[in-house]
Short mmCIF file of all heavy atoms in Angstrom, two decimals:
data_model
loop_
_atom_site.label_atom_id
_atom_site.label_comp_id
_atom_site.label_asym_id
_atom_site.label_seq_id
_atom_site.Cartn_x
_atom_site.Cartn_y
_atom_site.Cartn_z
N ALA A 223 126.21 116.05 127.18
CA ALA A 223 126.08 114.67 127.64
C ALA A 223 124.93 114.53 128.63
O ALA A 223 124.21 113.54 128.62
CB ALA A 223 127.40 114.20 128.27
N ASP A 224 124.74 115.54 129.47
CA ASP A 224 123.67 115.50 130.46
C ASP A 224 122.30 115.47 129.78
O ASP A 224 121.46 114.63 130.08
CB ASP A 224 123.78 116.70 131.41
CG ASP A 224 122.71 116.67 132.48
OD1 ASP A 224 122.63 115.67 133.22
OD2 ASP A 224 121.94 117.66 132.57
N ARG A 225 122.08 116.39 128.85
CA ARG A 225 120.78 116.46 128.16
C ARG A 225 120.55 115.20 127.33
O ARG A 225 119.47 114.62 127.36
CB ARG A 225 120.73 117.71 127.27
CG ARG A 225 119.50 117.82 126.41
CD ARG A 225 118.28 118.24 127.16
NE ARG A 225 118.41 119.65 127.51
CZ ARG A 225 117.44 120.34 128.08
NH1 ARG A 225 116.28 119.78 128.35
NH2 ARG A 225 117.63 121.60 128.40
N ALA A 226 121.55 114.76 126.59
CA ALA A 226 121.40 113.56 125.77
C ALA A 226 121.13 112.34 126.63
O ALA A 226 120.28 111.50 126.29
CB ALA A 226 122.64 113.35 124.90
N GLY A 227 121.81 112.24 127.76
CA GLY A 227 121.58 111.12 128.68
C GLY A 227 120.17 111.10 129.23
O GLY A 227 119.54 110.03 129.34
N ARG A 228 119.64 112.28 129.56
CA ARG A 228 118.25 112.34 130.06
C ARG A 228 117.28 111.92 128.97
O ARG A 228 116.31 111.20 129.23
CB ARG A 228 117.93 113.75 130.55
CG ARG A 228 118.55 114.06 131.91
CD ARG A 228 118.01 115.36 132.46
NE ARG A 228 118.15 116.41 131.45
CZ ARG A 228 118.66 117.60 131.66
NH1 ARG A 228 119.06 117.94 132.86
NH2 ARG A 228 118.76 118.48 130.70
N ILE A 229 117.50 112.38 127.75
CA ILE A 229 116.61 112.00 126.65
C ILE A 229 116.71 110.50 126.39
O ILE A 229 115.68 109.84 126.15
CB ILE A 229 116.93 112.82 125.38
CG1 ILE A 229 116.60 114.30 125.62
CG2 ILE A 229 116.17 112.28 124.17
CD1 ILE A 229 117.10 115.23 124.55
N LEU A 230 117.89 109.96 126.45
CA LEU A 230 118.06 108.52 126.28
C LEU A 230 117.28 107.76 127.34
O LEU A 230 116.53 106.82 127.03
CB LEU A 230 119.54 108.14 126.33
CG LEU A 230 119.86 106.65 126.39
CD1 LEU A 230 119.26 105.90 125.21
CD2 LEU A 230 121.35 106.42 126.48
N ARG A 231 117.41 108.15 128.59
CA ARG A 231 116.68 107.47 129.68
C ARG A 231 115.17 107.59 129.48
O ARG A 231 114.43 106.63 129.69
CB ARG A 231 117.13 108.01 131.04
CG ARG A 231 118.53 107.58 131.42
CD ARG A 231 118.90 107.95 132.85
NE ARG A 231 118.94 109.39 133.08
CZ ARG A 231 119.97 110.17 132.79
NH1 ARG A 231 121.06 109.66 132.23
NH2 ARG A 231 119.94 111.45 133.06
N ARG A 232 114.72 108.77 129.07
CA ARG A 232 113.28 108.96 128.81
C ARG A 232 112.82 108.07 127.65
O ARG A 232 111.74 107.51 127.68
CB ARG A 232 112.98 110.43 128.50
CG ARG A 232 113.07 111.34 129.72
CD ARG A 232 112.79 112.80 129.37
NE ARG A 232 111.61 113.01 128.57
CZ ARG A 232 110.35 113.02 129.02
NH1 ARG A 232 110.13 112.82 130.30
NH2 ARG A 232 109.35 113.23 128.21
N THR A 233 113.66 107.95 126.63
CA THR A 233 113.32 107.10 125.48
C THR A 233 113.17 105.65 125.92
O THR A 233 112.19 104.98 125.57
CB THR A 233 114.41 107.21 124.40
OG1 THR A 233 114.50 108.57 123.96
CG2 THR A 233 114.10 106.32 123.21
N LEU A 234 114.11 105.17 126.70
CA LEU A 234 114.07 103.78 127.16
C LEU A 234 112.87 103.51 128.07
O LEU A 234 112.40 102.37 128.15
CB LEU A 234 115.38 103.42 127.87
CG LEU A 234 116.63 103.45 127.00
CD1 LEU A 234 117.89 103.22 127.84
CD2 LEU A 234 116.54 102.43 125.87
N ARG A 235 112.38 104.55 128.75
CA ARG A 235 111.19 104.40 129.61
C ARG A 235 109.89 104.60 128.84
O ARG A 235 108.82 104.57 129.43
CB ARG A 235 111.26 105.41 130.76
CG ARG A 235 112.33 105.11 131.79
CD ARG A 235 112.16 105.96 133.05
NE ARG A 235 112.08 107.38 132.79
CZ ARG A 235 113.05 108.27 132.98
NH1 ARG A 235 114.22 107.86 133.45
NH2 ARG A 235 112.87 109.54 132.73
N GLY A 236 109.99 104.88 127.54
CA GLY A 236 108.79 105.07 126.73
C GLY A 236 108.21 106.46 126.79
O GLY A 236 107.05 106.68 126.42
N GLN A 237 109.00 107.44 127.20
CA GLN A 237 108.51 108.81 127.36
C GLN A 237 108.90 109.74 126.21
O GLN A 237 108.62 110.92 126.27
CB GLN A 237 109.02 109.38 128.68
CG GLN A 237 108.53 108.60 129.88
CD GLN A 237 109.22 109.02 131.17
OE1 GLN A 237 110.43 109.21 131.20
NE2 GLN A 237 108.44 109.13 132.23
N GLU A 238 109.56 109.21 125.21
CA GLU A 238 109.94 110.00 124.01
C GLU A 238 109.38 109.25 122.80
O GLU A 238 110.11 108.63 122.02
CB GLU A 238 111.46 110.16 123.91
CG GLU A 238 112.07 111.01 125.01
CD GLU A 238 111.91 112.51 124.79
OE1 GLU A 238 111.40 112.93 123.73
OE2 GLU A 238 112.29 113.27 125.70
N SER A 239 108.07 109.32 122.65
CA SER A 239 107.40 108.49 121.64
C SER A 239 107.85 108.80 120.21
O SER A 239 107.92 107.90 119.37
CB SER A 239 105.88 108.62 121.76
OG SER A 239 105.49 109.97 121.54
N GLN A 240 108.18 110.07 119.91
CA GLN A 240 108.59 110.39 118.54
C GLN A 240 109.91 109.72 118.19
O GLN A 240 110.14 109.33 117.05
CB GLN A 240 108.66 111.91 118.30
CG GLN A 240 109.89 112.60 118.84
CD GLN A 240 109.92 112.84 120.35
OE1 GLN A 240 109.03 112.40 121.08
NE2 GLN A 240 110.94 113.51 120.83
N ILE A 241 110.78 109.56 119.17
CA ILE A 241 112.05 108.87 118.93
C ILE A 241 111.79 107.37 118.77
O ILE A 241 112.33 106.75 117.86
CB ILE A 241 113.05 109.16 120.07
CG1 ILE A 241 113.42 110.65 120.08
CG2 ILE A 241 114.30 108.29 119.94
CD1 ILE A 241 114.27 111.09 121.25
N ALA A 242 110.98 106.82 119.62
CA ALA A 242 110.67 105.39 119.54
C ALA A 242 110.00 105.04 118.21
O ALA A 242 110.34 104.03 117.59
CB ALA A 242 109.79 104.99 120.71
N ARG A 243 109.07 105.87 117.76
CA ARG A 243 108.37 105.58 116.50
C ARG A 243 109.33 105.57 115.32
O ARG A 243 109.20 104.74 114.42
CB ARG A 243 107.26 106.61 116.26
CG ARG A 243 106.07 106.44 117.20
CD ARG A 243 104.98 107.45 116.95
NE ARG A 243 104.43 107.25 115.61
CZ ARG A 243 104.02 108.25 114.84
NH1 ARG A 243 104.08 109.50 115.23
NH2 ARG A 243 103.52 108.00 113.65
N ARG A 244 110.27 106.46 115.29
CA ARG A 244 111.23 106.51 114.19
C ARG A 244 112.23 105.35 114.25
O ARG A 244 112.88 105.03 113.27
CB ARG A 244 111.97 107.85 114.19
CG ARG A 244 111.12 108.98 113.67
CD ARG A 244 111.80 110.33 113.85
NE ARG A 244 111.15 111.38 113.13
CZ ARG A 244 110.04 112.00 113.52
NH1 ARG A 244 109.44 111.63 114.64
NH2 ARG A 244 109.51 112.97 112.79
N SER A 245 112.33 104.72 115.41
CA SER A 245 113.24 103.60 115.60
C SER A 245 112.57 102.25 115.34
O SER A 245 113.22 101.22 115.44
CB SER A 245 113.78 103.62 117.03
OG SER A 245 114.45 104.83 117.28
N ASP A 246 111.30 102.27 115.03
CA ASP A 246 110.53 101.03 114.85
C ASP A 246 110.56 100.58 113.40
O ASP A 246 109.60 100.73 112.65
CB ASP A 246 109.09 101.26 115.31
CG ASP A 246 108.24 100.01 115.21
OD1 ASP A 246 108.80 98.91 115.03
OD2 ASP A 246 107.01 100.15 115.30
N TYR A 247 111.70 100.01 112.98
CA TYR A 247 111.81 99.53 111.60
C TYR A 247 110.73 98.50 111.28
O TYR A 247 110.15 98.52 110.20
CB TYR A 247 113.18 98.91 111.36
CG TYR A 247 114.32 99.90 111.22
CD1 TYR A 247 115.63 99.48 111.32
CD2 TYR A 247 114.10 101.25 110.97
CE1 TYR A 247 116.69 100.36 111.18
CE2 TYR A 247 115.15 102.14 110.83
CZ TYR A 247 116.44 101.69 110.93
OH TYR A 247 117.49 102.56 110.78
N ALA A 248 110.47 97.59 112.21
CA ALA A 248 109.49 96.53 111.95
C ALA A 248 108.11 97.12 111.68
O ALA A 248 107.46 96.76 110.69
CB ALA A 248 109.44 95.57 113.14
N GLY A 249 107.66 98.02 112.51
CA GLY A 249 106.34 98.63 112.32
C GLY A 249 106.28 99.53 111.10
O GLY A 249 105.32 99.48 110.32
N ASN A 250 107.31 100.34 110.91
CA ASN A 250 107.32 101.26 109.78
C ASN A 250 107.37 100.50 108.45
O ASN A 250 106.65 100.84 107.51
CB ASN A 250 108.51 102.21 109.88
CG ASN A 250 108.39 103.16 111.05
OD1 ASN A 250 107.31 103.40 111.57
ND2 ASN A 250 109.51 103.69 111.49
N LEU A 251 108.19 99.48 108.38
CA LEU A 251 108.30 98.72 107.13
C LEU A 251 107.03 97.92 106.84
O LEU A 251 106.61 97.81 105.69
CB LEU A 251 109.52 97.81 107.16
CG LEU A 251 110.82 98.53 106.85
CD1 LEU A 251 112.02 97.66 107.20
CD2 LEU A 251 110.88 98.94 105.39
N ALA A 252 106.42 97.37 107.87
CA ALA A 252 105.17 96.63 107.66
C ALA A 252 104.10 97.56 107.10
O ALA A 252 103.38 97.21 106.15
CB ALA A 252 104.70 96.01 108.98
N ARG A 253 103.99 98.75 107.66
CA ARG A 253 103.00 99.73 107.20
C ARG A 253 103.30 100.17 105.76
O ARG A 253 102.42 100.23 104.90
CB ARG A 253 102.95 100.92 108.15
CG ARG A 253 101.79 101.86 107.94
CD ARG A 253 101.67 102.93 109.03
NE ARG A 253 102.91 103.61 109.33
CZ ARG A 253 103.74 103.30 110.33
NH1 ARG A 253 103.46 102.31 111.14
NH2 ARG A 253 104.86 103.99 110.52
N LEU A 254 104.57 100.45 105.48
CA LEU A 254 104.97 100.86 104.13
C LEU A 254 104.71 99.76 103.11
O LEU A 254 104.12 100.00 102.06
CB LEU A 254 106.46 101.23 104.11
CG LEU A 254 106.80 102.64 104.57
CD1 LEU A 254 108.26 102.74 104.94
CD2 LEU A 254 106.45 103.64 103.48
N LYS A 255 105.14 98.54 103.41
CA LYS A 255 104.94 97.42 102.47
C LYS A 255 103.45 97.19 102.21
O LYS A 255 103.05 96.95 101.07
CB LYS A 255 105.58 96.15 103.02
CG LYS A 255 107.08 96.13 102.93
CD LYS A 255 107.62 94.83 103.52
CE LYS A 255 109.12 94.83 103.55
NZ LYS A 255 109.65 93.59 104.15
N ASN A 256 102.68 97.24 103.25
CA ASN A 256 101.24 97.03 103.10
C ASN A 256 100.60 98.12 102.25
O ASN A 256 99.70 97.86 101.45
CB ASN A 256 100.57 96.95 104.48
CG ASN A 256 99.11 96.59 104.39
OD1 ASN A 256 98.75 95.62 103.73
ND2 ASN A 256 98.28 97.36 105.05
N ALA A 257 101.06 99.34 102.41
CA ALA A 257 100.43 100.47 101.71
C ALA A 257 100.94 100.67 100.28
O ALA A 257 100.16 101.03 99.41
CB ALA A 257 100.66 101.76 102.51
N VAL A 258 102.23 100.44 100.05
CA VAL A 258 102.78 100.79 98.73
C VAL A 258 103.33 99.60 97.95
O VAL A 258 103.70 99.74 96.79
CB VAL A 258 103.84 101.91 98.84
CG1 VAL A 258 103.28 103.10 99.60
CG2 VAL A 258 105.12 101.42 99.49
N GLY A 259 103.45 98.45 98.58
CA GLY A 259 103.86 97.22 97.89
C GLY A 259 105.18 97.34 97.15
O GLY A 259 106.20 97.74 97.70
N GLU A 260 105.15 97.02 95.86
CA GLU A 260 106.36 96.98 95.04
C GLU A 260 106.97 98.36 94.78
O GLU A 260 108.07 98.46 94.26
CB GLU A 260 106.07 96.30 93.70
CG GLU A 260 105.69 94.84 93.83
CD GLU A 260 106.81 94.02 94.46
OE1 GLU A 260 107.97 94.18 94.04
OE2 GLU A 260 106.51 93.23 95.38
N ALA A 261 106.26 99.41 95.14
CA ALA A 261 106.81 100.77 94.96
C ALA A 261 107.87 101.07 96.01
O ALA A 261 108.51 102.11 95.96
CB ALA A 261 105.69 101.80 95.03
N LEU A 262 108.09 100.14 96.96
CA LEU A 262 109.04 100.35 98.04
C LEU A 262 110.36 99.66 97.74
O LEU A 262 110.40 98.49 97.37
CB LEU A 262 108.48 99.80 99.36
CG LEU A 262 109.40 99.85 100.57
CD1 LEU A 262 109.72 101.29 100.96
CD2 LEU A 262 108.77 99.10 101.73
N CYS A 263 111.45 100.39 97.94
CA CYS A 263 112.81 99.84 97.85
C CYS A 263 113.46 100.08 99.21
O CYS A 263 113.42 101.20 99.74
CB CYS A 263 113.59 100.55 96.75
SG CYS A 263 115.32 100.05 96.62
N VAL A 264 114.06 99.04 99.77
CA VAL A 264 114.73 99.14 101.06
C VAL A 264 116.22 98.88 100.85
O VAL A 264 116.60 97.90 100.21
CB VAL A 264 114.15 98.12 102.06
CG1 VAL A 264 114.86 98.22 103.41
CG2 VAL A 264 112.64 98.34 102.22
N VAL A 265 117.05 99.77 101.35
CA VAL A 265 118.50 99.61 101.25
C VAL A 265 119.14 99.91 102.60
O VAL A 265 118.60 100.66 103.41
CB VAL A 265 119.13 100.52 100.17
CG1 VAL A 265 118.64 100.16 98.79
CG2 VAL A 265 118.88 101.98 100.47
N PHE A 266 120.30 99.32 102.81
CA PHE A 266 121.08 99.63 104.00
C PHE A 266 121.91 100.88 103.73
O PHE A 266 122.50 101.03 102.67
CB PHE A 266 122.04 98.47 104.34
CG PHE A 266 121.33 97.26 104.89
CD1 PHE A 266 121.13 96.15 104.09
CD2 PHE A 266 120.89 97.24 106.20
CE1 PHE A 266 120.49 95.03 104.60
CE2 PHE A 266 120.25 96.13 106.71
CZ PHE A 266 120.05 95.01 105.91
N HIS A 267 121.94 101.75 104.70
CA HIS A 267 122.74 102.98 104.62
C HIS A 267 124.18 102.65 104.24
O HIS A 267 124.79 103.34 103.42
CB HIS A 267 122.67 103.71 105.96
CG HIS A 267 123.47 104.96 106.00
ND1 HIS A 267 124.76 104.99 106.49
CD2 HIS A 267 123.18 106.22 105.63
CE1 HIS A 267 125.22 106.23 106.41
NE2 HIS A 267 124.29 106.99 105.89
N GLU A 268 124.71 101.60 104.84
CA GLU A 268 126.11 101.22 104.61
C GLU A 268 126.37 100.82 103.16
O GLU A 268 127.51 100.85 102.70
CB GLU A 268 126.50 100.08 105.55
CG GLU A 268 126.55 100.48 107.01
CD GLU A 268 125.16 100.59 107.67
OE1 GLU A 268 124.14 100.22 107.07
OE2 GLU A 268 125.11 101.06 108.82
N ASP A 269 125.33 100.41 102.44
CA ASP A 269 125.49 99.98 101.04
C ASP A 269 125.31 101.13 100.04
O ASP A 269 125.58 100.95 98.86
CB ASP A 269 124.47 98.89 100.69
CG ASP A 269 124.73 97.61 101.45
OD1 ASP A 269 125.87 97.41 101.93
OD2 ASP A 269 123.79 96.81 101.58
#
């Protein structure tokens, strides 16, 4: 819990960029759609 809490706080402060980048659905999807167009399928994990 201690280590995870520190990483969470660092993420929220912008100090864990690899975590933030993977959490950026808006940016990632925009880049994917622009690059691959109709070759992209998006689904919800829950579905």
Side-chain angles (χ1 to χ4, degrees):
D224 182 56
R225 175 76 72 175
R228 284 190 309 229
I229 294 170
L230 170 58
R231 289 188 295 278
R232 288 179 48 79
T233 300
L234 296 174
R235 290 192 306 257
Q237 298 170 317
E238 293 281 354
S239 61
Q240 79 283 5
I241 295 173
R243 288 181 64 216
R244 284 172 168 79
S245 301
D246 182 14
Y247 285 165
N250 293 339
L251 280 167
R253 192 172 48 263
L254 277 161
K255 286 179 184 178
N256 186 50
V258 307
E260 295 299 314
L262 176 65
C263 176
V264 179
V265 295
F266 288 104
H267 179 266
E268 292 77 8
D269 293 340

